[in-house]
Amino acid sequence: SASLVSDSSLKPSHKAWVSAVQWSPTNPYVLTSASHDGTLKVWDIRSSLPLHTVRTHSKEDKSLCMAYGDGLIYTAGTECVVK
């Protein structure tokens, strides 16, 4: 059976809007989410809790998007800086 991932699955862990969700290019069970709370979370969709939470931007500089590349996860926010 297919797993359904929705905003309601991610939002209880984030403290503000979820602004982006990206599937892992190497693991079909892993995705990341970025939020206006300034955090990036790594999820295994088989669990209801995030595997990792990283503060990538200050609360004033909201996380807007992310991308995978070279074995890393990059994120960008309203301060126009890629981290």
Side-chain angles (χ1 to χ4, degrees):
S1 70
S3 295
L4 179 64
V5 177
S6 67
D7 184 49
S8 62
S9 303
L10 305 176
K11 198 167 183 183
S13 183
H14 281 293
K15 305 298 183 229
W17 285 8
V18 174
S19 54
V21 175
Q22 180 82 33
W23 287 102
S24 166
T26 58
N27 187 327
Y29 297 107
V30 173
L31 61 85
T32 56
S33 59
S35 172
H36 284 195
D37 64 9
T39 64
L40 178 119
K41 294 181 182 269
V42 179
W43 302 82
D44 183 320
I45 62 169
R46 298 167 291 189
S47 173
S48 61
L49 299 173
L51 297 172
H52 304 283
T53 300
V54 180
R55 173 147 313 276
T56 54
H57 303 275
S58 70
K59 291 180 182 177
E60 295 79 32
D61 298 317
K62 299 168 177 57
S63 295
L64 299 176
C65 62
M66 81 226 124
Y68 288 89
D70 300 324
L72 301 171
I73 303 172
Y74 297 92
T75 182
T78 54
E79 79 274 39
C80 300
V81 174
V82 175
K83 297 181 178 186

